[in-house]
Amino acid sequence: MTVTQTDLETVIRETRHYLHQHPELSDHEVQTTAYLTKRLVALGFRIITPVGLKTGVIAEIGHGKPVIGLRSDIDALPIKEATGLAFSSENDGVMHACGHDFHMASLLGAAELLAREASSLNGTIRLVFQPAEETHVGAQEVRDAGGVEGLDAIIGFHNKPDLPAGTIGLLPGGLMAAVDEFKVTFTGIGTHAAMPQYGRDPIVALTQTVNALQTIVSRNEDPQQTAVISVTHIEGGNTWNVIPGSSWFEGTVRTFDHQARAVAKQRFTEVINGQAATFGVQAEINWQTGPDVVDNNPELEAVVEAESREHFDVVAPQPSNAGEDFAFFSQRIPSVFAFIGSHGNSDWHHADLRLDDAGLLPAAKWYYYNAKALLTYLSTK
């Protein structure tokens, strides 16, 4: 059963609060999947979730071409909530600290609006409730299972705590960064701390290397291109008077340009191997290539921006060095990804993050208006 326009904002808000109370980790969103499926079936959507997809929901309404995808992520983070909200997480140690509850509730709100017009849609709308965004594998899982086959375009958004509630942030081209992860292990020879000459100290190699890596951005990358290398975790040794046999560190590289990404990886490897040789230790590099740049199709971005300006306050946001596995869609399907203001008290992945429900209805309408605008635009091509 659909709801009246007057009640829609309340329904979306209550939906978000329920989902916030019941977060689930990446690829374990079993109850979330059941909840979303039940809601979509009640609205008359066809559930077309591929058999190979363990969690997540894909559903359609309307018929024929073009086919427009609307995407929301659904997973939470392993964070103990510290918001003090009346609807705080009931799953201890798990929290929607990135606002995926905000995204799901908004897309369900758009589903309510689209369900009222199912018979008059000039094409098909496909809702993609995607699992495991936080681990950067969910979009690939959906893609590999066939969940985005046949799409002519796909749109999505991420809430933005530093924008006023309901403000739309849109840019052609890169909006969010490419993400790479690394772990480096130095293996030397352990020895008594008082007799370092009998060993090969991996901690000295590690500390010198962390500093040396920063020269990649300052001396090897084009200053006009954005690049960040951050070492975020270091471990080595067990006690105060023993030089350990090994130590390791891990972190991330963020870039917006393919050449900058390639330079970062090449120089990273060269620096690590050079430092290992200098200090007489062995180096092992574990490099994990993550999502590419979230790249907005200029033609479709112009359509979405024009439609959005008819209804909302639209701004040109600062691109974010955060990553988004929506990139696995945007690199293959014409797409547009937006920021939508959620007026938060802190940033993503913080235990105290509280988002403003006032942004939910605009976000739902953003999906709705632009789904219809893209159906119209692509129907004429």
Side-chain angles (χ1 to χ4, degrees):
M1 178 184 294
T2 59
V3 296
T4 66
Q5 180 69 30
T6 304
D7 293 335
L8 182 58
E9 188 168 12
T10 299
V11 169
I12 299 173
R13 182 177 66 251
E14 291 176 350
T15 296
R16 187 219 157 196
H17 291 188
Y18 173 82
L19 290 166
H20 190 89
Q21 283 183 298
H22 301 89
E24 295 176 291
L25 295 175
S26 303
D27 277 331
H28 293 84
E29 310 96 332
V30 176
Q31 296 304 316
T32 303
T33 295
Y35 174 84
L36 294 170
T37 301
K38 181 178 180 180
R39 290 284 300 272
L40 292 168
V41 168
L43 289 170
F45 280 76
R46 304 183 298 276
I47 305 301
I48 61 165
T49 309
V51 174
L53 201 60
K54 296 183 296 183
T55 55
V57 185
I58 301 178
E60 286 187 346
I61 200 165
H63 296 278
K65 299 283 279 182
V67 184
I68 309 299
L70 312 182
R71 178 268 199 173
S72 167
D73 37 20
I74 70 173
D75 55 330
L77 286 156
I79 292 176
K80 185 175 179 63
E81 184 161 354
T83 62
L85 292 169
F87 53 92
S88 291
S89 171
E90 295 180 0
N91 187 358
D92 189 44
V94 183
M95 176 189 174
H96 273 300
C98 203
H100 295 184
D101 54 326
F102 189 103
H103 306 165
M104 287 185 282
S106 300
L107 188 49
L108 281 175
E112 295 271 1
L113 294 169
L114 291 164
R116 304 173 188 179
E117 303 179 17
S119 61
S120 61
L121 292 173
N122 57 332
T124 303
I125 302 296
R126 184 182 304 175
L127 307 187
V128 179
F129 286 92
Q130 177 213 303
E133 188 279 327
E134 295 294 356
T135 54
H136 291 163
V137 299
Q140 295 177 84
E141 291 172 353
V142 170
R143 183 194 66 198
D144 293 347
V148 291
E149 288 297 319
L151 287 182
D152 296 292
I154 186 168
I155 65 173
F157 80 87
H158 203 294
N159 79 89
K160 200 69 165 62
D162 61 353
L163 289 179
T167 297
I168 311 299
L170 282 166
L171 286 175
L175 183 68
M176 300 184 76
V179 179
D180 293 305
E181 302 174 42
F182 58 80
K183 180 178 180 180
V184 175
T185 301
F186 286 126
T187 301
I189 300 173
T191 186
H192 197 297
M195 291 169 273
Q197 72 273 23
Y198 297 125
R200 291 289 185 269
D201 192 339
I203 289 184
V204 172
L206 183 152
T207 55
Q208 294 294 315
T209 300
V210 169
N211 288 329
L213 287 173
Q214 300 310 311
T215 65
I216 296 174
V217 172
S218 66
R219 289 298 176 267
N220 301 130
E221 295 285 12
D222 182 344
Q224 303 302 314
Q225 296 293 338
T226 300
V228 174
I229 297 178
S230 292
V231 174
T232 58
H233 183 190
I234 295 173
E235 288 197 19
N238 297 298
T239 189
W240 67 279
N241 62 349
V242 177
I243 294 173
S246 66
S247 63
W248 60 269
F249 65 88
E250 62 184 347
T252 185
V253 177
R254 306 296 170 103
T255 50
F256 274 90
D257 174 83
H258 291 296
Q259 179 63 23
R261 193 178 196 184
V263 166
K265 184 177 182 180
Q266 176 184 339
R267 287 295 296 132
F268 185 95
T269 301
E270 292 169 351
V271 168
I272 297 301
N273 289 334
Q275 293 291 98
T278 297
F279 294 101
V281 298
Q282 300 296 313
E284 178 185 352
I285 302 171
N286 183 347
W287 185 279
Q288 296 185 26
T289 300
D292 209 332
V293 177
V294 175
D295 194 18
N296 283 338
N297 178 279
E299 179 184 353
L300 295 190
E301 192 279 338
V303 174
V304 170
E305 183 170 335
E307 181 66 24
S308 298
R309 289 189 183 279
E310 292 290 322
H311 309 282
F312 311 105
D313 179 25
V314 177
V315 300
Q318 184 75 20
S320 173
N321 280 333
E324 237 289 351
D325 78 349
F326 185 85
F328 289 111
F329 301 143
S330 71
Q331 297 299 319
R332 295 169 179 255
I333 304 166
S335 64
V336 179
F337 199 75
F339 289 142
I340 298 185
S342 55
H343 187 221
N345 63 308
S346 58
D347 211 344
W348 303 320
H349 295 208
H350 287 217
D352 68 340
L353 177 62
R354 298 187 301 277
L355 304 181
D356 190 342
D357 287 336
L360 290 168
L361 185 59
K365 289 185 173 181
W366 181 83
Y367 276 128
Y368 166 74
Y369 287 131
N370 285 294
K372 294 180 63 179
L374 288 170
L375 280 179
T376 299
Y377 178 75
L378 293 177
S379 292
T380 63
K381 289 181 68 65

